[in-house]
Amino acid sequence: MSEQETAAPVRCRRALLLTVGTGTAEQLEATIITPFRKSFEEGEWDQIVLLPSKTSEANARLLQERFGQFPIEVRPLRLPGDEDNADAAFRHFDEVILRLLAKGFRAQDCTADITRGTKAMTAALALAAINHRLGHLRYIAASQRDERGMVVAGTERVDDVEPRIIAQRQDLNQAFAFLRAGNFRAAEQLLSADPPEGHLKKEIRFARWAAQFWGAWDRFDY
């Protein structure tokens, strides 16, 4: 057996991006440290990118200091108030993801944790992740909450979701745009894979049939 045959398979490099909120100042251990530890430890990461606002940057630096065993970098939003500006947050997160991809990370090996931060930050990171077709969206759910509705420390649960349905809808919309423009071959190629089970399966099959039929007619191949 050759060395090439016995060599261990190369592990894909994985990255985790997380928005960072302010937490509760007097309860940072419960509202920041413990939940982030849960997400850090759920997976093997070659790069962890914390995405705080200017207000929550101190929390991100605290996490970077506390969890020195992880490859953490901090990329705060540029200006105070950007945490409530979805456009500004999206531009920043988009640039961070592009930087990761330029470093050789594959989109499917990146996870975006949208649990914390403002609603604008959560929406912006989710949109940026979907735009770049990252492999997973992550949310830290809770099995228990206290009387205030706060997560009970230690009951956190990591939920990873593959946004495949959203990607399928994007491809389907693009395929219909190609069909309207008469670019039947492009539509057919875009929908070349068999659609998985789901509510878009019939639409995808119809669009692929239309691309094949109209494409054959357009080429006088009938």
Side-chain angles (χ1 to χ4, degrees):
M1 186 176 292
S2 67
E3 289 186 10
Q4 184 176 4
E5 292 174 325
T6 57
V10 177
R11 186 178 70 82
C12 296
R13 299 170 68 214
R14 293 183 172 87
L16 175 65
L17 302 97
L18 310 95
T19 47
V20 181
T22 56
T24 303
E26 63 275 14
Q27 296 180 332
L28 288 182
E29 190 70 33
T31 61
I32 294 292
I33 303 300
T34 299
F36 275 90
R37 177 187 289 112
K38 183 77 172 178
S39 198
F40 293 165
E41 293 178 347
E42 192 75 21
E44 297 181 34
W45 311 110
D46 299 281
Q47 186 69 71
I48 294 174
V49 185
L50 300 180
L51 303 167
S53 65
K54 288 297 185 183
T55 303
S56 61
E57 184 176 357
N59 286 343
R61 301 295 179 189
L62 173 64
L63 289 166
Q64 187 179 39
E65 179 181 347
R66 180 72 68 90
F67 297 104
Q69 70 272 33
F70 294 107
I72 297 175
E73 65 173 302
V74 179
R75 296 284 180 178
L77 294 172
R78 288 185 174 82
L79 300 173
D82 279 356
E83 65 271 20
D84 294 315
N85 183 329
D87 287 335
F90 176 86
R91 284 194 296 271
H92 180 68
F93 299 156
D94 181 62
E95 291 173 3
V96 170
I97 293 172
L98 284 173
R99 189 178 294 112
L100 278 174
L101 299 179
K103 290 169 65 175
F105 287 91
R106 302 188 307 171
Q108 60 265 38
D109 298 321
C110 298
T111 296
D113 188 326
I114 59 174
T115 306
R116 305 162 194 89
T118 63
K119 290 181 173 63
M121 291 169 69
T122 294
L125 182 56
L127 289 171
I130 291 167
N131 180 62
H132 288 286
R133 304 256 176 140
L134 300 194
H136 292 89
L137 290 176
R138 169 172 289 191
Y139 185 82
I140 307 298
S143 302
Q144 297 180 31
R145 292 180 181 271
D146 61 22
E147 63 279 1
R148 301 168 299 165
M150 302 293 289
V151 175
V152 175
T155 68
E156 297 88 354
R157 182 185 72 251
V158 175
D159 286 341
D160 282 344
V161 178
E162 296 182 34
R164 289 177 295 180
I165 293 177
I166 300 172
Q168 290 167 19
R169 171 56 72 184
Q170 289 178 324
D171 288 343
L172 187 60
N173 291 345
Q174 185 61 63
F176 279 124
F178 284 146
L179 291 174
R180 287 191 293 269
N183 195 345
F184 308 121
R185 181 60 61 84
E188 182 180 350
Q189 291 176 340
L190 187 61
L191 303 176
S192 59
D194 288 332
E197 295 296 330
H199 75 291
L200 296 178
K201 187 171 184 177
K202 290 183 179 179
E203 291 183 69
I204 292 172
R205 282 182 168 175
F206 169 76
R208 186 167 60 185
W209 171 85
Q212 293 169 343
F213 178 79
W214 292 338
W217 181 272
D218 189 56
R219 297 189 301 272
F220 295 98
D221 184 16
Y222 50 87

